[in-house]
Amino acid sequence: MTKALIVGGGIAGPTMAMALQRAGIDSAVYEAYDRPADYTGMFLNTASNGLDALRAIDVHVAEAADGFPMPRMRMWSGTGKPLGEVANGVRLADGTVSVCVKRGLLQKVLREEALERGISVQYGKRLESYQATGQGVVARFADGTTATGDILIGADGIHSRTRQLMNPEAPKPSFTGLVGVGGYSHIAGLAPTIGTQHFVFGKRAFFGYLVRESGEIYWFANLHRPDEPTREELAQISPQEWKRHLLDLFADDMPLINQIIGNSIGEIGAHPVHDMPTSPLWHRGPVVLIGDAVHATSPSAGQGASMAIEDAITLAKCLRDAPGATAAFTSYEELRRNRVEKVVAYSRKLSNSKTAGPVARVFRDMMMPIALKVFASDKAHAWMYTHHIDWDTPISQAA
C-alpha cells in the first residue's frame, strides 16, 4: 500500500494521517471547509486514554492545546446539595490525567503537527462521490477535482458523507433529547476550580462549569427538548435570547449558575446532541470509517475525541501488520466494535440521567451519593480509561 485518502480534517483526520505515517504509509487529508476551523465548537474533554493513545505517535496535545487538567468531577443537586465526587478518568502511571480543551485549538494543534511532519492537508474538498477500482479508489470532490489512492478513510464526523456513500442504508444519527448550549464567562473574584469540573443536576436542566486560573469560566447546559431542532434554528437564537431563556430555566437552582450565565462574554453556541451506537458496516471494499463517522457518542462520557484517536491508532497498526487492506479493516473492526458500542451505551445512559421529573429527581439526589461510590469508582471505570494501545506489538500478537 502506498497512499491513503482521508476525508475529514477535524480531530480524527490529522491523527489518522500521522499514525499512517508512523506505519510507513503516505496519506493526504481532504477537508470540506474552505479554511481551518480553528474556532469550531466550544470545549471538550480529552480523556487520559485518548492522551495515552496519542503518545503512540509522539503527539502531546495537553500543553500545546492549553489543556485544563481535570482529574475530578464534583456533582451537585440544583439546591446546592453535594452529591459526590468521582474521578474524570484514571490517572495514568506517569501522572497523566484527562484535560478540558477548546475544540478548535485541539484541531489546530493536531493539524499543525501533521503539517510539520510533511502531511498534505487540503481545504475546500467536500466529498461528492467515490469509485472503487481494481487498483484502489478515486474520490471526487464538489469542486470538480479528484484524488486517487489505495484506500479511502472516512473521518468526516457524525453526518459522514463517506458513510452515506458506502452504505446508503446506514442508520442515521439519533437525537438524544438534549440540546447542548455553552459559552465563556468571567466573574471577578470567583476562585479557580483547580483540577475539578462541577456538574449541577438542576430542576429543569443540567449545568456544568469550570474556572481557569485566569478567571475564564467554561460553562455548558443540557436542555431537554422532545422535538429535534436544526442547527440553523438554534443559530438564529441570539446570545441575549439564550441568556434570558437560561436564566429562567435555572431560576430555582444554585444562584452561581445564573451569575455565570449572566456574565457570559461573546457568543453562546448551541447544537442538538446526537449519538449513533454503531454502523452495521465499518468498511466495504477499499473504504473504511473511523470516529464519529462509524460510532458517535454523546458528550456525556467525555470520550468522543478519545474514541476517534484510538480508532486512528488501531487502524494504522492493522494496516501496518495485516496482509492487505481487507484483512486490516476486518482486524480493526474486531478490535474496536465492542469497546466503542459499550462507550456509546454508557454515555447515552448518562445523558438520560440529566433530566428527571419531580419524583425521580428526589430519588436520584438521594441515591446518587451511594451510586457514585459503587458504580463510578476508579475500579468500575478502569475498562474505559486504562485502555492502552501498544504500538510496538504486532496486531496478531496483541489480539
Side-chain angles (χ1 to χ4, degrees):
M1 181 179 303
T2 58
K3 186 175 183 180
L5 311 178
I6 302 171
V7 178
I11 293 170
T15 303
M16 185 77 251
M18 289 186 281
L20 287 173
Q21 186 184 64
R22 178 60 57 91
I25 300 169
D26 289 336
S27 67
V29 178
Y30 300 90
E31 168 56 44
Y33 285 110
D34 60 4
R35 63 178 63 86
D38 292 345
Y39 302 100
T40 297
M42 299 302 294
F43 51 89
L44 53 80
N45 182 68
T46 306
S48 49
N49 52 293
L51 296 173
D52 180 68
L54 283 173
R55 290 179 181 173
I57 55 172
D58 292 329
V59 174
H60 307 273
V61 301
E63 291 186 7
D66 189 30
F68 178 83
M70 200 171 58
R72 297 184 302 278
M73 299 182 289
R74 191 166 295 163
M75 313 296 177
W76 303 84
S77 72
T79 61
K81 173 187 174 183
L83 299 178
E85 182 176 299
V86 297
N88 178 29
V90 174
R91 185 182 295 269
L92 303 184
D94 63 358
T96 296
V97 298
S98 302
V99 298
C100 183
V101 297
K102 294 182 178 180
R103 175 184 289 275
L105 185 53
L106 176 60
Q107 293 180 175
K108 179 181 179 181
V109 167
L110 291 171
R111 182 190 76 248
E112 290 181 346
E113 182 66 29
L115 290 171
E116 285 185 11
R117 298 184 185 194
I119 294 166
S120 172
V121 180
Q122 300 183 36
Y123 292 91
K125 300 296 180 181
R126 186 173 299 278
L127 183 67
E128 189 171 81
S129 65
Y130 71 79
Q131 180 180 0
T133 68
Q135 292 72 42
V137 62
V138 177
R140 293 182 173 84
F141 303 102
D143 65 357
T145 61
T146 62
T148 301
D150 297 290
I151 60 172
L152 187 151
I153 301 172
D156 45 349
I158 191 168
H159 301 293
S160 170
R161 173 65 173 166
T162 311
R163 181 183 69 243
Q164 295 168 12
L165 292 169
M166 189 186 80
N167 179 19
E169 303 303 317
K172 300 292 190 293
S174 174
F175 178 53
T176 63
L178 295 176
V179 171
V181 184
Y184 302 97
S185 183
H186 191 280
I187 299 174
L190 186 62
T193 57
I194 303 297
T196 305
Q197 187 168 15
H198 294 261
F199 298 104
V200 183
F201 292 86
K203 185 175 181 180
R204 289 180 289 273
F206 182 83
F207 190 81
Y209 75 95
L210 61 86
V211 186
R212 300 288 305 260
E213 294 89 338
S214 64
E216 185 178 27
I217 303 168
Y218 295 16
W219 67 266
F220 75 91
N222 287 152
L223 322 180
H224 173 68
R225 181 158 169 172
D227 59 313
E228 180 179 355
T230 65
R231 283 184 173 270
E232 292 73 21
E233 176 186 344
L234 295 175
Q236 292 175 3
I237 302 174
S238 69
Q240 292 71 29
E241 290 178 280
W242 274 123
K243 281 187 180 183
R244 287 194 293 269
H245 181 53
L246 293 170
L247 291 172
D248 181 60
L249 275 178
F250 291 107
D252 298 326
D253 296 316
M254 296 169 59
L256 178 60
I257 296 176
N258 275 358
Q259 291 178 37
I260 291 173
I261 294 169
N263 285 277
S264 290
I265 301 166
E267 294 297 315
I268 292 178
H271 64 279
V273 178
H274 296 90
D275 65 12
M276 188 178 70
T278 190
S279 175
L281 286 179
W282 283 43
H283 56 91
R284 173 177 280 169
V287 181
V288 64
L289 305 172
I290 66 171
D292 281 359
V294 68
H295 53 74
T297 176
S298 70
S300 296
Q303 282 286 337
S306 294
M307 289 298 101
I309 291 164
E310 288 183 4
D311 279 359
I313 308 301
T314 303
L315 177 56
K317 279 192 64 176
C318 291
L319 288 165
R320 179 194 68 188
D321 298 338
T326 300
F329 294 166
T330 300
S331 294
Y332 156 68
E333 181 180 352
E334 289 175 349
L335 289 167
R336 295 298 297 161
R337 182 184 279 275
N338 288 342
R339 174 166 169 76
V340 299
E341 288 183 352
K342 188 176 179 180
V343 169
V344 173
Y346 173 69
S347 191
R348 170 66 78 124
K349 185 177 180 180
L350 292 180
S351 294
N352 291 341
S353 73
K354 289 181 175 180
T355 56
V359 175
R361 187 165 58 247
V362 171
F363 182 75
R364 179 195 62 201
D365 291 354
M366 179 176 63
M367 296 303 298
M368 185 171 285
I370 300 172
L372 290 177
K373 291 180 181 179
V374 177
F375 300 109
S377 65
D378 286 7
K379 184 177 180 180
H381 281 163
W383 67 270
M384 186 158 56
Y385 295 109
T386 61
H387 182 79
H388 175 71
I389 302 171
D390 184 351
W391 179 260
D392 296 323
T393 301
I395 287 295
S396 58
Q397 296 179 26

